[in-house]
């Protein structure tokens, strides 16, 4: 039976993905440094094999045979999404895919040196090559209305440049003035490292990361993986001078919880993952912004730090976590101005891909945009256009998910409080059971059955919109 | 080119093996308990896929095309061993392999309950089924002189039942009386757990396990894996009452060092692993018995414990590590009487497979053999015939490697001291560089190019023999 063969293949691919995640997690947390070259080979082999098995001729034959089959609900969904993934993967010639991969690797190498030297001109040829290849890639999808839509579809199937321009336009128009007018933020609270190390597992245990199904480890950059049902792993980074270890851990918890609460019957199918980059980011942002930065939750955080020997007033802690301080660097941006960094990048990469902007003109455009959106002058390209690795890696269409995550999280939070009532009391008590449970039917259970915007509509009754985030931002800066 | 295609496939299989080892390591050291079922699926998928890719028709076509090819030395060896592995794997019908796997899983489940209840009769039907299937499996290899030889070939290609009867016969004839006459051993030295935890990495660092290429972790049963070149991982177990944590860690270091010192050009080929179970065990036993239990090395061990706050006299430490105390249980046997446990198991499984012994008669035969070889009465089957999992898993032909490892280690040690001179001074100084280096051309570099006995001959100038171990055993019990 073709459906059985297809489902067996999907289960295999799901297992290979899990093994790849494990190997990548290990590489970043446990592997001795000398294991690096070998691990690179192992991951490349796994990826090649998974791609070969996903795009093999027999998969196309099974899908063809199932074209008019009378399938029950779940099987029909499995076939629908498998057909889509298969067709997309087969549209890209093998040579082009290999060339993109090479250019991506080269681009990142060149970028690292160029960033260190603050030398955009040294990076420009690699960037131009990546842009050209992204356009070639986009041209493989003649069903996309615009080239950028084809790129976006790899991260957020169903979204379009037009839709993003609409939502981000509304966002920037109100958020840029709000940031410009925000009062000076409270000074950062800095907990000793040892208190942070005790607080992270304590806070995660409070919100649901128990020992039997979770790990918490260190890594240079925080990340999370679901290695399989019942095996969720988050990492964080400890540094003096801020409380990012706890906030990052809550962010990663949100990602991991999403994968973990997908309906069990989707496990080991092609529907058993988060549906898109932006929905995934909305889950991390919900726990980071709406739980971790909620004024009522500050007492729980303060208590966790106190248990580690660091006394801090909840109000001071909260003020520190929501302070607005427009900055040059995206990754250290405050929660209010953060999406403006993304709007800038979206505008620029859209213009690069669709032809309105040439690579040599990019730094000036970057600097203009930073002044316009964030009110800051960029002193040099290292702190400007060279700060992120995404374009060096050829990843165009990736950035929007960071801002969409903020927007969708705020929209979900409003829907959640509409359904459950205000969460202040529960958060003050550190009880997030209702929040976790609400997310299951609203978002998590569906896996990849619904794409981003249909899922947002299912959960909130409305399409994606900027309003909820803007209301959240105003509450954070005290302009309600 | 068929040779390129073959080598690419071998590299792929090597990478899949490494990923499987990593996943198994993680399962036993890091994985949260709830990850168990998912990990089982992932490992099964990986094994199925690797088997499919190893035995695919195209591999046979490449090998056929290479039959009369003029290949250089290494390529010719790759093809020779690939042909052998392929032919062996293809001889076993898929249905029989699946049936063996099922019976193995069932057997282990039944055995666990039977052992807990001390009820051999409850285990007998599963064991009988495993024996029948092992005979069927052996019958697939009509080139084997005896059924047992076909089973042995999976662990130690080229060895035969006849050769083992010869070597083990000589061993038992002298070792059994030696054990019977050994003076009462010194009492066990017991270090506090914290001192053991500090001593293990200190001792391993002294013998060559540096941070950049090694990890040391905890697990319920000590083991080691090489995840790739430059990524060696050993585990050990800490318990009050003995010094097994350090000895087990040195044992696992020996396994890991073997894989690590294989010639780099064999990396990611089908020759890039240890050549057999018994050669592997010889490498662990060399570090366990001939370094760890060497009188001159006791000072290094004592120093490591002292740094952890536990003072012990080197002489007392050494006496404790070599004390002879014949016991019922193989896994806690002393280093002198240990091989007798294996001789017993070899004799019995040979008779089971080749028909001289029926399953219902096994407990009586076990108890007789234990009395004859170790001079001990077996009080019940739980402490006797039910103690090991191997037969429950259908692994016949596996046990001999444990004793052969002891024998080959002693033989290698004599050759090493003949080549390098006595190692007492170097060991007293904790300097094992010469030992590590000697092992490279003698054993490690060859990977799977030489099978067990040819490799022993290469390293020592003689075939496998019992004499060196017997001399070592006499020196341990003070009967020189």
């Amino acid at each position: 039976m073709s459906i059985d063969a297809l489902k067996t293949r999907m289960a295999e691919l799901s297992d290979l993905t899990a093994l790849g995640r494990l190997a990548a997690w290990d590489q970043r947390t446990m592997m001795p440094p000398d294991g690096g070259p070998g691990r690179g080979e192992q991951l490349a082999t796994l990826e090649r094999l998974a791609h070969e098995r996903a795009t093999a001729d027999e998969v196309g034959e099974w899908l063809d045979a199932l074209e008019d089959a009378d399938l029950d609900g779940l099987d029909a969904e499995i076939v629908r999404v498998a057909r889509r993934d298969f067709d997309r993967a087969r549209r890209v010639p093998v040579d082009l895919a290999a060339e993109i991969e090479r250019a991506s690797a080269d681009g990142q190498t060149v970028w690292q040196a160029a960033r260190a030297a603050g030398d955009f001109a040294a990076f420009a040829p690699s960037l131009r090559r990546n842009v050209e290849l992204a356009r070639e890639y986009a041209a493989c999808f003649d069903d996309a209305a615009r080239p950028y839509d084809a790129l976006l579809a790899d991260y957020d199937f169903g979204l379009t440049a037009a839709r993003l321009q609409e939502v981000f336009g509304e966002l920037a128009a109100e958020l840029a003035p709000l940031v410009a007018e925000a009062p000076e933020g409270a000074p950062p609270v800095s907990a000793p490292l040892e208190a942070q190390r005790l607080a992270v597992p304590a806070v995660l245990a409070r919100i649901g990361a128990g020992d039997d199904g979770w790990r918490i480890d260190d890594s240079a950059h925080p990340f999370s993986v679901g290695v399989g049902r019942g095996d969720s792993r988050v990492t964080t980074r400890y540094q003096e001078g801020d409380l990012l270890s706890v906030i990052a851990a809550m962010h990663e918890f949100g990602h991991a919880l999403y994968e973990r609460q997908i309906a069990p019957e989707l496990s080991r199918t092609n529907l058993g993952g988060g549906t898109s980059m932006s929905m995934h980011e909305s889950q991390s942002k919900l726990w980071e912004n709406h739980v971790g930065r909620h004024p009522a939750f500050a007492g729980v955080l303060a208590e966790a730090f106190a248990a580690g020997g660091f006394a801090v007033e909840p109000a001071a802690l909260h003020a520190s976590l929501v302070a607005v301080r427009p900055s040059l660097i995206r990754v250290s941006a405050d929660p209010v101005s953060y999406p403006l960094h993304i709007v800038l990048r979206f505008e620029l990469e859209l213009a690069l891909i669709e032809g309105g902007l040439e690579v040599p003109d990019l730094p000036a455009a970057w600097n203009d945009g930073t002044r316009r959106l964030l009110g800051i002058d960029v002193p040099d390209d290292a702190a400007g256009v060279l700060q992120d690795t995404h374009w060096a890696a050829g990843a165009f269409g990736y950035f929007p998910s960071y801002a969409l995550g903020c927007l969708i999280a705020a929209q979900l939070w409003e829907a959640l409080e509409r359904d459950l009532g205000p969460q202040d009391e529960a958060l003050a008590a550190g009880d997030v059971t209702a929040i976790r449970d609400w997310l299951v039917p609203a978002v998590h259970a569906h896996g990849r059955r619904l794409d981003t915007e249909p899922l947002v509509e299912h959960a909130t009754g409305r399409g994606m919109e900027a309003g909820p985030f803007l209301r959240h931002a105003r509450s954070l800066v005290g302009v309600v």
Side-chain angles (χ1 to χ4, degrees), chain A residues 110-134:
Chain A
V110 170
W111 166 76
Q112 284 191 324
R115 185 180 60 160
D119 182 359
F120 181 80
F123 175 53
S126 296
L127 179 57
R128 194 174 314 117
R129 182 78 187 124
N130 280 347
V131 170
E132 284 163 9
L133 288 167

Side-chain angles (χ1 to χ4, degrees), chain A residues 71-432:
Chain A
L71 298 168
D72 75 22
L74 178 56
D75 284 355
E77 287 292 277
I78 287 171
V79 169
R80 177 180 66 81
V81 175
R83 173 98 254 170
R84 185 171 99 189
D85 291 343
F86 179 80
D87 288 348
R88 281 188 64 80
R90 293 271 289 210
R91 289 238 199 160
V92 183
V94 173
D95 289 350
L96 176 60
E99 183 57 25
I100 287 172
E101 203 164 314
R102 254 193 309 277
S104 167
D106 292 350
Q108 290 172 80
T109 307
V110 170
W111 166 76
Q112 284 191 324
R115 185 180 60 160
D119 182 359
F120 181 80
F123 175 53
S126 296
L127 179 57
R128 194 174 314 117
R129 182 78 187 124
N130 280 347
V131 170
E132 284 163 9
L133 288 167
R135 288 179 187 153
E136 278 186 54
Y137 179 86
C140 300
F141 302 92
D142 50 17
D143 52 340
R146 295 167 60 169
Y148 190 84
D149 294 354
L151 304 178
L152 199 53
D154 281 342
Y155 306 102
D156 257 281
F157 191 86
L159 292 191
T160 62
R163 189 77 185 92
L164 294 187
Q165 286 175 306
E166 190 176 13
V167 174
F168 286 170
E170 183 192 342
L171 175 74
E174 300 210 30
L175 190 57
L178 182 68
V179 167
E181 292 156 24
E184 198 183 339
V189 164
S190 170
L193 288 181
E194 203 36 53
Q196 293 188 44
R197 285 202 171 272
L198 291 166
V200 164
V203 170
L204 289 193
R206 282 299 277 278
I207 62 179
D211 283 345
D212 281 355
W214 294 77
R215 285 191 61 91
I216 307 163
D217 296 280
D218 289 18
S219 64
H221 298 283
F223 70 100
S224 76
V225 291
V227 179
R229 287 197 76 73
D231 184 350
S232 305
R233 305 183 182 202
V234 303
T235 74
T236 193
R237 180 174 56 146
Y238 298 90
Q239 58 186 24
E240 297 277 4
D242 62 43
L243 303 178
L244 272 182
S245 57
V246 176
I247 288 296
M250 292 187 73
H251 178 106
E252 300 305 336
F253 169 82
H255 282 302
L257 186 69
Y258 183 8
E259 298 274 332
R260 196 176 173 88
Q261 296 203 129
I262 290 170
E265 67 264 28
L266 304 188
S267 184
R268 300 182 79 235
T269 76
N270 53 337
L271 307 177
T275 199
S276 69
M277 290 289 292
S278 63
M279 278 315 297
H280 238 300
E281 193 69 8
S282 78
Q283 295 314 294
S284 57
K285 284 293 177 187
L286 187 138
W287 291 89
E288 174 190 341
N289 285 348
H290 299 277
V291 177
R293 291 191 162 103
H294 197 290
F297 196 69
V300 174
L301 295 179
E303 198 182 300
F305 284 119
F310 173 64
V312 58
E313 282 299 316
L317 189 62
H318 178 252
S320 153
L321 289 176
V322 301
V324 178
R325 274 183 230 90
S327 75
L328 282 166
I329 305 297
R330 176 181 64 83
V331 295
S332 53
D334 64 74
V336 172
S337 64
Y338 183 85
L340 293 171
H341 290 263
I342 302 308
V343 172
L344 169 69
R345 286 156 178 77
F346 165 66
E347 290 176 359
L348 296 175
E349 69 178 16
L350 181 63
L352 282 172
I353 294 300
E354 300 199 345
L357 178 67
E358 293 304 313
V359 166
D361 302 326
L362 179 62
W366 180 283
N367 298 350
D368 288 349
T370 304
R371 201 171 306 113
R372 172 169 50 85
L373 291 164
L374 289 158
I376 313 182
D377 286 323
V378 178
D380 55 64
D381 290 339
V385 67
L386 288 172
Q387 69 183 269
D388 293 310
T389 187
H390 303 62
W391 293 339
F396 302 97
Y398 185 122
F399 277 127
S401 64
Y402 291 132
L404 293 175
C406 298
L407 269 52
I408 297 170
Q411 192 170 342
L412 289 172
W413 187 257
E414 284 193 355
L416 179 153
E417 290 208 314
R418 197 169 54 232
D419 288 355
L420 303 179
Q423 291 299 298
D424 302 54
E425 255 179 67
L427 288 178
D431 180 3
V432 297

